Amino acid sequence: MTKKDKTSRPRSSKKTSAKFPWWKLIASLSVLLAVVFIMLDANVRYGLNERQWQSPARVYSRALTLRAGQFLQADDLRYELTLLGYQLNSDGRRPGSYWQQGQHFSVVTRGNGEQPSQRFQLQLVNERVTGLRSAWGSALDQVSLEPVEIGSIYASHKEDRLLVQLEEVPLSLREILLLVEDRDFYSHWGLSPKAIARALIANIKAGRTVQGGSTITQQLVKNVFLSRSRSLWRKATEAVMTLLVELHYSKDKILESYINEIYLGQEGPRAIHGFALASQHYFNRPLYELNPGQIALLVGIVKGPSYYDPWRHPERAEARRDVVLKLMAQHQLITPQQSDFYQINSLGLAKPSAVAVVFPAYLDLVRRQLRRDYSEQELQTQGLQIYTAFDPIVQRHAEQSLSAVVKTLDESTEGAVVVSDVNSGDIVALVGGREMRYAGFNRALDAVRPIGSLIKPAVYLTALEQPKRYTLVTPISDSPVAVEGGDGSLWQPQNFDRKSHGSVLLHNALAQSYNQATARLGMQLGIEPVLNMVERLGVSRKLPAVPALLLGAGELSPLEVAQMYQTIASHGVSRPLRAITQISDQQGKTLARYPVQSQPVVDAAVMHLLHYSMMEVVREGTGKTVYQRLREDFAVAGKTGSTNDLRDSWFAGFAGDYLAVVWMGRDDNQSAGITGAGGALKVWRELFARVSRQPINLEPPAGVTYHWVDSDSGLLSSGPCDNARYVPFLQGSAPQQKAPCSTSVKGVLQWFRELF
């Protein structure tokens, strides 16, 4: 090979690749880490600050005001005091305590920033308040207890907390919390190698995980910012954020945040966060009233709120509490004698279960009414104080009354109850179903069902507004009726007993709930006037303008029925049903008031006639079993309602103080097999026997006069005549013709009964 050839031969070359300079890689990673760091830093600074300002709206009941002569049972007063977290105490001198001896009570209120603690005593005689006096013996006109907190409106992630400042937290709780969870809290920078090593040794000795090495700052970061995953990246992120929290916040601020944030239990769907809310949840008491045993239980629960749940696992919770109590004694936070004393005590829980005193149906109503004026963001973060008309005592009896009846029926039978104050339209109690402690389908608001005969008072009221055509003694034919529909079909209603009753007086047709007589009357009046009356009574839902409406084919919820009957009970004055009375901000400044609104829509004289007939319903008609539970001399009025195939059982009735609407049926719309009198009425009469103390005012208004008439013909009669009854008439509408009169001892006795 020549030299030329040698040099001209192509050189063998290796592939060369451009190497990425190492410094660029480091620079890129540094930039990435810097971006991540900046994002984490912003998250820490913004997130923790923002967290401290968010506070759910808290909802309160009415405040129980005690007055001389007021009706009150000892059990009800004790129940209210228990809801408030008052402790039964032999000396009865500490705020938030009371002492009971038979019918005598001595109470010390907690007071607040505006009103100091007050000590008073009272005696209950025949279920009436007497001897209302101060601790120094001076007579008192009235005393008000605090309103009961009945719930809160928290964010969609179901977390709830009651914010406190560090100085409001008992020193003993702070000390034992640090002793159990993070002994070196004030000396480390968020990460504690000593704690990690201590936990590692303890876990190796036990052969399982018995102790964690996380500091309080780390636990706070986990709760506020991170998920529950156990990846290496999450642990690294936790470490960085922990250091950032320590950099930006003081130790006291971190501890305060932890005390407000830590998860400590569950109340149905609501997650209990923070020691202040946990104190209310478990003991129904503010933090500053807790004894060492209760503090030990709360601190012990931090290790595992589900595992040490004191309701589901009381033995575990008690054992964990005792460990903490012993530790408190070892470090001289309490004496050994105190430790021994609290170890032999019960856990002291304020209720039998985590959800024993929650009222989801009423809170649902409050939330819906609030949405008209406030955004969800405001309700979930601004700490609004919502004051309502909710009456815990009436609610308790409504729940017990419904429970007593549904237990006797098929387990698929549901129920709902709405109770309002006759004079104000305030909704004082609401039951949404037989599972009263759990949020779900709220039948009181959302069970839109045919109302059956509950529509009939509107039909008869429409007639009574025309005194030249109709009075309570106008004869109506209760004979078969057939109405042809637009499609050629026939509407042929029948009475419940499948019989016709000939000519009946108008008041008797309503009392006995005769379908045929009502249908004939309604067709004479016209469907549109009846619909107009229903609307005037407060029903805004559009109902079908068909003949079947006259017998209750229209569908309403129990709340809508209550609105309609509220106007009837209020003597023709329309008052929109109200749950919320006032709203304040976190500082107690009033933001909004919800005054009672009243508008006369039906003349009181006409409504008095309807009241008479509805009282007859419960005296002689379809609702007469009411007086199996009520006193004979206690005047109430109401109306039963049943629908086709007994799918729905209704009763709506009122006294002088309360109105209540009860519905019973099945969610699948199958037959419940109960009439209005066989189901809903039983709930109503039990409730009113427990809570109602004011009968209907029977004083006739201006424009009404009473006359004796013959019960069969409706013609004028006189008191001692047999078969006579005392009936109200609008001025000038009484019959002129007289009926024949025969007198007997029975007639004279009836005369005395009607008069007296």
Side-chain angles (χ1 to χ4, degrees):
M1 181 181 296
T2 65
K3 187 176 182 180
K4 184 178 180 181
D5 292 335
K6 190 174 181 179
T7 58
S8 63
R9 192 173 69 181
R11 296 180 179 176
S12 63
S13 61
K14 295 180 180 178
K15 279 188 176 178
T16 59
S17 59
K19 292 184 178 179
F20 192 80
W22 61 269
W23 60 270
K24 287 188 177 181
L25 178 61
I26 293 176
S28 298
L29 289 174
S30 299
V31 170
L32 178 62
L33 290 175
V35 171
V36 171
F37 185 85
I38 291 171
M39 291 175 63
L40 292 179
D41 185 66
N43 196 10
V44 163
R45 283 186 290 133
Y46 175 79
L48 201 56
N49 277 330
E50 187 72 12
R51 195 80 165 185
Q52 299 312 304
W53 288 103
Q54 292 185 1
S55 181
R58 316 212 78 80
V59 184
Y60 297 91
S61 73
R62 58 88 186 99
L64 177 61
T65 299
L66 303 170
R67 300 181 180 87
Q70 173 185 354
F71 281 103
L72 187 65
Q73 297 180 23
D75 283 348
D76 289 337
L77 177 55
R78 187 167 58 248
Y79 174 72
E80 181 101 8
L81 292 170
T82 301
L83 284 182
L84 288 167
Y86 279 46
Q87 301 299 300
L88 183 61
N89 191 302
S90 59
D91 59 27
R93 295 179 180 178
R94 288 179 291 179
S97 68
Y98 74 99
W99 175 246
Q100 178 187 1
Q101 187 172 18
Q103 300 293 303
H104 181 268
F105 286 80
S106 179
V107 182
V108 187
T109 65
R110 288 197 178 98
N112 51 47
E114 298 180 357
Q115 190 169 352
S117 173
Q118 185 175 11
R119 185 179 176 188
F120 67 91
Q121 54 189 325
L122 61 85
Q123 186 85 14
L124 295 174
V125 178
N126 296 325
E127 299 184 354
R128 282 184 181 270
V129 175
T130 62
L132 186 60
R133 298 184 177 278
S134 71
W136 297 272
S138 58
L140 298 173
D141 294 329
Q142 65 180 44
V143 177
S144 292
L145 300 176
E146 311 96 276
V148 176
E149 184 179 329
I150 62 173
S152 56
I153 298 176
Y154 41 85
S156 57
H157 47 66
K158 309 299 184 187
E159 292 182 6
D160 195 6
R161 56 184 51 78
L162 186 60
L163 300 180
V164 290
Q165 296 180 337
L166 191 60
E167 57 267 25
E168 298 175 301
V169 180
L171 181 61
S172 58
L173 190 153
R174 285 180 267 163
E175 290 177 334
I176 190 58
L177 178 63
L178 294 177
L179 192 62
V180 172
E181 292 298 320
D182 193 350
R183 298 182 186 184
D184 303 318
F185 174 71
Y186 279 99
S187 60
H188 63 60
W189 281 84
L191 303 174
S192 177
K194 186 188 297 185
I196 295 172
R198 186 167 54 237
L200 182 62
I201 294 171
N203 294 339
I204 291 173
K205 286 181 178 179
R208 58 190 176 90
T209 302
V210 295
Q211 185 174 329
S214 295
T215 65
I216 276 180
T217 313
Q218 285 177 281
Q219 293 180 49
L220 178 63
V221 167
K222 290 176 189 176
N223 274 271
V224 175
F225 302 107
L226 301 176
S227 67
R228 299 290 181 183
S229 66
R230 295 178 176 271
S231 67
L232 186 61
W233 173 256
R234 196 202 69 83
K235 292 296 292 183
T237 303
E238 175 191 311
V240 173
M241 296 185 82
T242 297
L243 293 173
L244 288 170
V245 168
E246 291 277 348
L247 176 66
H248 289 299
Y249 301 97
S250 68
K251 285 290 187 179
D252 283 353
K253 183 64 174 178
I254 294 170
L255 181 58
E256 180 184 278
S257 299
Y258 178 86
I259 286 172
N260 283 316
E261 181 60 37
I262 189 68
Y263 171 67
L264 289 170
Q266 199 73 26
E267 184 186 80
R270 182 172 75 144
I272 305 299
H273 285 259
F275 282 91
L277 186 59
S279 178
Q280 298 287 352
H281 175 61
Y282 291 109
F283 307 115
N284 200 16
R285 305 180 74 181
L287 275 175
Y288 62 82
E289 289 186 8
L290 297 186
N291 63 45
Q294 294 166 327
I295 289 174
L297 178 60
L298 289 187
V299 173
I301 286 173
V302 171
K303 185 177 179 181
S306 297
Y307 187 81
Y308 295 109
D309 185 317
W311 285 294
R312 292 190 294 133
H313 308 294
E315 299 84 5
R316 295 178 190 170
E318 190 172 300
R320 178 64 179 160
R321 177 204 62 180
D322 294 349
V323 168
V324 177
L325 282 169
K326 291 173 184 176
L327 193 60
M328 293 172 75
Q330 289 172 15
H331 290 265
Q332 299 179 345
L333 298 178
I334 57 175
T335 66
Q337 292 76 17
Q338 286 177 308
S339 177
D340 292 340
F341 172 78
Y342 287 113
Q343 285 181 56
I344 62 175
N345 277 1
S346 68
L347 293 174
L349 301 173
K351 51 192 177 185
S353 73
V355 294
V357 288
V358 297
F359 309 100
Y362 198 92
L363 286 176
D364 185 19
L365 172 65
V366 170
R367 182 188 288 270
R368 296 188 196 195
Q369 293 193 355
L370 282 172
R371 282 176 182 158
R372 295 180 300 202
D373 302 317
Y374 294 89
S375 68
E376 284 294 314
Q377 178 72 9
E378 289 174 306
L379 295 175
Q380 295 167 3
T381 64
Q382 298 302 308
L384 299 178
Q385 299 176 21
I386 315 298
Y387 295 95
T388 74
F390 181 82
D391 188 321
I393 293 173
V394 178
Q395 177 74 23
R396 176 193 185 204
H397 290 300
E399 292 176 355
Q400 291 176 344
S401 299
L402 180 62
S403 292
V405 176
V406 296
K407 285 178 182 177
T408 66
L409 304 172
D410 184 89
E411 63 181 12
S412 60
T413 301
E414 276 290 354
V417 184
V418 180
V419 188
S420 65
D421 184 299
V422 163
N423 300 300
S424 66
D426 287 340
I427 301 174
V428 298
L430 192 85
V431 184
R434 64 189 298 163
E435 295 294 332
M436 300 158 190
R437 298 289 163 255
Y438 296 94
F441 183 54
N442 192 340
R443 293 161 189 83
L445 309 185
D446 298 324
V448 180
R449 308 288 290 246
I451 63 172
S453 295
L454 293 192
I455 196 72
K456 289 178 180 175
V459 178
Y460 287 83
L461 194 56
T462 305
L464 292 171
E465 279 197 317
Q466 305 176 43
K468 293 183 179 180
R469 294 179 63 192
Y470 302 100
T471 69
L472 288 175
V473 296
T474 299
I476 302 174
S477 173
D478 184 55
S479 58
V481 59
V483 179
E484 185 175 345
D487 58 357
S489 61
L490 282 180
W491 179 59
Q492 296 177 290
Q494 292 182 306
N495 290 325
F496 183 77
D497 61 5
R498 306 295 179 184
K499 298 178 181 178
S500 297
H501 304 91
S503 179
V504 296
L505 302 187
L506 185 142
H507 72 89
N508 195 44
L510 178 58
Q512 301 300 331
S513 201
Y514 290 149
N515 289 336
Q516 294 177 162
T518 303
R520 286 187 173 277
L521 176 62
M523 295 307 295
Q524 292 172 12
L525 295 167
I527 296 172
E528 286 301 327
V530 173
L531 279 171
N532 178 260
M533 176 59 72
V534 172
E535 185 177 346
R536 287 164 59 192
L537 292 175
V539 176
S540 58
R541 185 184 295 272
K542 186 173 178 59
L543 299 178
V546 295
L549 168 78
L550 301 170
L551 301 182
E555 298 181 344
L556 298 175
S557 69
L559 182 67
E560 290 172 314
V561 173
Q563 181 64 76
M564 173 180 166
Y565 273 78
Q566 177 71 32
T567 307
I568 294 173
S570 298
H571 305 279
V573 177
S574 175
R575 294 188 176 96
L577 294 177
R578 180 183 71 158
I580 303 167
T581 58
Q582 180 177 316
I583 298 178
S584 302
D585 62 15
Q586 279 184 294
Q587 288 71 44
K589 179 182 177 182
T590 300
L591 299 178
R593 297 184 187 276
Y594 292 76
V596 175
Q597 299 176 346
S598 301
Q599 180 183 1
V601 293
V602 177
D603 187 87
V606 178
M607 196 61 79
H608 182 82
L609 272 56
L610 182 67
H611 282 197
Y612 175 92
S613 193
M614 291 179 68
M615 285 190 286
E616 190 181 353
V617 170
V618 296
R619 288 288 182 187
E620 308 167 30
T622 57
K624 61 184 177 183
T625 56
V626 158
Y627 285 99
Q628 291 179 2
R629 194 69 179 83
L630 298 185
R631 299 192 326 264
E632 283 291 332
D633 62 346
F634 193 79
V636 298
K639 185 69 189 78
T640 55
S642 307
T643 59
N644 291 341
D645 301 322
L646 302 183
R647 290 189 176 94
D648 302 278
S649 170
W650 290 92
F651 190 81
F654 53 92
D657 44 13
Y658 296 116
L659 157 77
V661 173
V662 182
W663 169 84
M664 299 185 75
R666 292 177 49 154
D667 289 339
D668 60 9
N669 204 31
Q670 298 299 307
S671 175
I674 48 175
T675 63
L681 181 148
K682 292 181 178 180
V683 177
W684 188 94
R685 74 187 183 196
E686 181 64 27
L687 171 61
F688 271 62
R690 292 165 176 252
V691 303
S692 182
R693 295 294 181 269
Q694 184 179 338
I696 291 175
N697 180 11
L698 300 179
E699 186 71 24
V704 172
T705 57
Y706 274 74
H707 297 271
W708 289 99
V709 298
D710 180 73
S711 293
D712 293 330
S713 66
L715 301 179
L716 283 179
S717 184
S718 60
C721 295
D722 291 345
N723 211 30
R725 67 183 307 139
Y726 210 39
V727 177
F729 294 87
L730 296 184
Q731 199 77 40
S733 66
Q736 301 300 311
Q737 188 177 352
K738 291 187 177 181
C741 176
S742 60
T743 304
S744 64
V745 174
K746 181 180 178 181
V748 174
L749 292 176
Q750 174 66 19
W751 176 45
F752 274 100
R753 277 197 296 270
E754 291 280 3
L755 285 177
F756 306 106

